[in-house]
Amino acid sequence: MVNKTNPQQSNNTLVRSLMKIVFSVGIMLGSGFVYGLVQSTFNSKPLEQSTQSELRRFGRAEYEQLRTGMSLTDVRSILYRGIEVSGSATIATFVWENPDGSKIIATFEHDKLKSKEQSGLK
């Protein structure tokens, strides 16, 4: 007698097994792990972009507060988190964008503001 298995049943068993493993690992690492995994799996927008859109708007006044030599932490205290669009061991570029498309681009070298530019700020 040949043992035949239903492919759909095998797939369901595999999915259940994987979910048990993910859940177990999540419990070991903390609930934030599972939440982050679920968010990244079911949310079509990257988490950073969705967070960026929830932040308050900024304008030319905030841009003018930025000074060469400021730390990334100081800039974030004015503009909030931002999105890192490129980086290396010593240089990183961040973008802050409003819902209307206006934005600030800042480049940091060794965690200090090296240059800034803006487009469309009012």
Side-chain angles (χ1 to χ4, degrees):
M1 189 165 142
V2 176
N3 184 9
K4 294 183 181 180
T5 60
N6 180 343
Q8 182 65 31
Q9 186 178 8
S10 294
N11 286 341
N12 289 341
T13 303
L14 178 62
V15 168
R16 278 194 300 272
S17 296
L18 288 173
M19 289 305 291
K20 286 179 184 177
I21 292 169
V22 167
F23 185 73
S24 297
V25 169
I27 298 254
M28 288 186 290
L29 295 176
S31 61
F33 173 80
V34 173
Y35 177 76
L37 181 64
V38 170
Q39 281 292 96
S40 64
T41 302
F42 294 106
N43 191 354
S44 62
K45 291 193 301 188
L47 188 57
E48 285 184 293
Q49 286 182 345
S50 64
T51 302
Q52 180 69 27
S53 66
E54 294 168 8
L55 300 178
R56 75 172 192 182
R57 294 179 50 96
F58 52 86
R60 186 171 289 277
E62 288 78 15
Y63 176 77
E64 295 300 333
Q65 291 178 40
L66 306 180
R67 301 281 179 235
T68 302
M70 290 178 85
S71 70
L72 176 57
T73 302
D74 290 341
V75 171
R76 284 179 166 165
S77 72
I78 297 167
L79 299 175
Y80 295 95
R81 187 168 174 80
I83 298 171
E84 184 173 357
V85 294
S86 69
S88 68
T90 58
I91 297 177
T93 301
F94 286 80
V95 174
W96 290 265
E97 187 168 0
N98 283 319
D100 67 359
S102 60
K103 62 182 149 189
I104 294 174
I105 301 171
T107 302
F108 295 84
E109 186 170 6
H110 299 290
D111 192 43
K112 299 292 181 191
L113 182 62
K114 181 178 178 183
S115 66
K116 65 178 186 174
E117 58 185 87
Q118 64 86 21
S119 66
L121 292 181
K122 298 173 186 167

